[in-house]
Amino acid sequence: MSQPQVLPDTPDASSYRDVWTFTEYVEGELFQTSFEALAAAKKIASLTGMKVGTVVIGYKIPDEVPQALIRRGADYVVIVDDVELERYNPLTYASALVQVAQERKPWAFVFVADDIGRDVAPRVAYRLKTGLATDCIDYEMGEIYQGVVGQTFKNVLAQVRPDFASRIAKIFTPRHRPQISSMRPGYFKPLPEDPSRKGEIFRVKWSAKEEELNKFSVLEVKRLPEEEGVELLSADFVVGLGLGIVRRTRGDPDPKYVLDMARKINELLAQRLKVKTAIGASRALVWAEVRELKDFITPGRQIGQTGKTISPKVYVAVGISGAIQHKVGIMRSRKIVAINTDPEAPIKDMASYMINEDLYEALPKLYESLKRRLE
Ligand SMILES: Cc1cc2nc3c(=O)[nH]c(=O)nc-3n(C[C@H](O)[C@H](O)[C@H](O)COP(=O)(O)OP(=O)(O)OC[C@H]3O[C@@H](n4cnc5c(N)ncnc54)[C@H](O)[C@@H]3O)c2cc1C
C-alpha cells in the first residue's frame, strides 16, 4: 500500500498571530453576516488572548466601512483597495487575500459560509497550503494526536461542524497555518455596536497578476429576486413540515391539508399575539417534491445544515425525525415542540415537548386548543 501523502508543516507556524475574518463588502453593501464572523473571531480571540483583525477588499471603500467593523469588534482592519477589486472575482480576491495572509500571518482566518465565502475560502486555503473546515457552528480550543506524524498538538483550534452522518465533528489543522474555516450564518450573534471602540486601519498595496485578470471578466451584476422563505430567519414561531406528512396511521395522507393546518395555526398566532410566523420544511420533504405542495415547499424553505438556520421562540416540528443536519438548523430555537408517532425519534433529544401522536390528529387538536386559549 502506498504511504499517505503528508503536506509539509507550515515552516514558521509559531510566528502566526491573531484571528482574522474576511469582510464581504460587495457593490457598496457591507454584509451583515460579516459582523457574525467578527463575533465568531471574538470568541476565538477570547480563548487565545489574540487580537481580531478583518480584511476588506474592494474599490473606493468609504471610511465608514472600517469604522463600522471596529465598532463591531475588530481591533484592526486591513484594507486592499484597487480598481481591479471593484467587483467580486474569485481569482483577484483570492490573490489579494493570499498576499495579505502571507505578509501578516494570521493564526486563524474565518470566512462566512455563503456564496462568496464558499467560493473564495477553498482557493485561499489551497494556495496557502493549509486546511479548510467548512460550515462551522462553533469554535473551541483543544488538543489532537496526529498519528501520521506521531505527535500530540495542544492549544489548537477545534473547528466544530456537523458531520455528514449524525454527529458533530471537530476539525483540527494542527500543523498548518492559518487555521482556515467558514462559519455558517446564524450561529454567532453580531456584537452590539460600541461607538467608543478604537482600532487601527492598515492599507495594503496589491497588484493583480496578468493571468488573474485575463481568465475572465465580470460584464454585469444582476441582483436575484428576494429568496423564498426569507421570513424564516426572523420569525418568532415556525412550523417545520417533514416527510411524516405523507404518512398517516388511519386513512389516506393529505399533505395539502397539513399545510393548510400549519397556515391556520400561524394566522391565529399572528393575529392574536402579533408575532411573526413562518413555515419551513425538512430536506426530505423538499426533495420529495410532493405534487400538492410544489409551489410552496421549495428549496428556499429548507431548514438545516444545507438550508436556513432559524432562531424562533417556538419551533413546531411536524413529522420530522430530527436528523443532525436538521437539528443544526433549529438548535437556536428557544422551545421545540415535536409531533411524531415515534417516541424514540432523535428529535426527542432537543424537544421541550413531544406529542407522540399521528400529526393528522395532533394538528387540529393543537389549533383548537390554541384558539380556545387565545380567545
Ligand atoms: C450532507 C447532508 C445535508 C443535509 N442537509 C439537510 C438539511 O439542511 N435539512 C434537513 O432537514 N435535512 C438535511 N439532510 C437530510 C437529513 O439527513 C434527513 O434525511 C432529513 O432531515 C429527514 O427528513 P424528515 O425528518 O422529514 O424525514 P424522515 O427522516 O423520513 O422522518 C419522518 C418522521 O416522521 C414521523 N412520522 C411518520 N408519519 C407520521 C405521522 N403520521 N404523524 C407523526 N409523525 C409521523 C416518523 O416517525 C419520522 O420520525 C441532509 C443530509 C445530508 C447527507
Side-chain angles (χ1 to χ4, degrees):
M1 229 171 71
S2 63
Q3 287 293 311
Q5 289 228 331
V6 184
L7 205 62
D9 296 4
T10 302
D12 51 351
S14 62
S15 61
Y16 284 70
R17 287 274 170 284
D18 296 348
V19 185
W20 278 17
T21 69
F22 170 49
T23 288
E24 294 184 20
Y25 175 71
V26 181
E27 308 290 316
E29 188 187 340
L30 179 55
F31 282 26
Q32 290 297 305
T33 43
S34 295
F35 297 143
E36 296 178 29
L38 278 178
K42 203 77 186 164
K43 172 167 185 192
I44 304 170
S46 71
L47 297 170
T48 55
M50 292 184 187
K51 287 186 175 176
V52 171
T54 188
V55 189
V56 196
I57 286 180
Y59 181 51
K60 293 191 176 165
I61 299 167
D63 286 346
E64 176 45 31
V65 171
Q67 294 307 337
L69 294 163
I70 290 166
R71 288 198 296 273
R72 297 287 194 150
D75 297 311
Y76 61 90
V77 181
V78 180
I79 296 181
V80 192
D81 196 309
D82 189 285
V83 64
E84 299 296 351
L85 298 168
E86 184 172 14
R87 286 187 163 161
Y88 175 69
N89 170 335
L91 300 183
T92 50
Y93 270 48
S95 156
L97 288 166
V98 167
Q99 184 199 299
V100 284
Q102 279 170 337
E103 286 169 4
R104 290 167 180 262
K105 302 189 170 176
W107 184 81
F109 203 165
V110 178
F111 291 74
V112 176
D114 60 5
D115 291 348
I116 290 182
R118 286 193 169 121
D119 190 29
V120 77
R123 297 170 194 274
V124 173
Y126 176 76
R127 292 190 203 181
L128 291 174
K129 296 193 172 55
T130 182
L132 169 66
T134 54
D135 279 288
C136 291
I137 56 173
D138 201 3
Y139 296 93
E140 298 166 5
M141 293 299 286
E143 66 173 53
I144 176 91
Y145 172 75
Q146 216 176 42
V148 75
V149 289
Q151 199 182 330
T152 299
F153 295 85
K154 295 194 169 161
N155 296 325
V156 277
L157 192 59
Q159 302 160 116
V160 183
R161 71 178 306 269
D163 194 349
F164 287 112
S166 56
R167 296 159 303 171
I168 294 287
K170 291 183 182 177
I171 312 284
F172 296 89
T173 318
R175 296 168 31 246
H176 301 98
R177 298 288 181 274
Q179 297 160 94
I180 302 189
S181 62
S182 64
M183 170 224 71
R184 266 186 75 78
Y187 284 86
F188 291 89
K189 216 168 160 205
L191 301 169
E193 269 196 280
D194 178 355
S196 68
R197 288 196 90 247
K198 300 265 176 290
E200 285 182 280
I201 298 171
F202 302 101
R203 292 182 186 274
V204 173
K205 281 233 157 312
W206 164 87
S207 37
K209 297 184 188 70
E210 205 52 42
E211 68 270 19
E212 288 160 357
L213 295 177
N214 291 340
K215 287 247 168 77
F216 68 84
S217 42
V218 181
L219 301 180
E220 193 186 354
V221 176
K222 280 192 182 169
R223 272 189 184 269
L224 292 170
E226 186 149 285
E227 201 194 325
E228 278 175 44
V230 72
E231 69 276 14
L232 281 162
L233 302 175
S234 58
D236 305 298
F237 180 88
V238 175
V239 179
L241 303 179
L243 207 55
I245 74 167
V246 300
R247 295 169 202 143
R248 190 174 184 171
T249 328
R250 281 194 294 270
D252 292 332
D254 181 357
K256 181 70 176 44
Y257 165 80
V258 179
L259 177 61
D260 288 343
M261 277 312 302
R263 284 182 166 142
K264 268 174 84 170
I265 292 172
N266 277 2
E267 273 165 24
L268 179 72
L269 293 173
Q271 274 174 12
R272 298 284 158 86
L273 297 178
K274 309 278 175 250
V275 291
K276 288 202 265 178
T277 62
I279 296 175
S282 70
R283 177 155 104 167
L285 186 65
V286 171
W287 283 28
E289 296 184 353
V290 177
R291 191 168 28 91
E292 300 93 317
L293 310 179
K294 85 172 179 0
D295 295 330
F296 189 77
I297 300 297
T298 53
R301 295 199 175 276
Q302 184 180 313
I303 298 169
Q305 181 184 334
T306 41
K308 294 198 164 60
T309 302
I310 58 168
S311 47
K313 296 196 175 87
V314 180
Y315 176 60
V316 184
V318 180
I320 290 181
S321 57
I324 184 70
Q325 295 89 357
H326 189 79
K327 281 179 173 167
V328 296
I330 60 170
M331 60 206 288
R332 294 188 60 203
S333 309
R334 220 178 281 170
K335 290 262 186 268
I336 295 174
V337 180
I339 304 178
N340 200 308
T341 41
D342 177 5
E344 292 309 316
I347 191 91
K348 81 172 197 307
D349 309 339
M350 284 180 100
S352 321
Y353 307 99
M354 191 84 183
I355 304 175
N356 294 130
E357 200 178 0
D358 190 304
L359 63 94
Y360 282 88
E361 280 154 39
L363 272 181
K365 282 191 207 161
L366 181 65
Y367 173 72
E368 289 304 330
S369 79
L370 283 171
K371 202 168 147 199
R372 267 197 311 278
R373 274 175 158 251
L374 295 173
E375 272 166 3

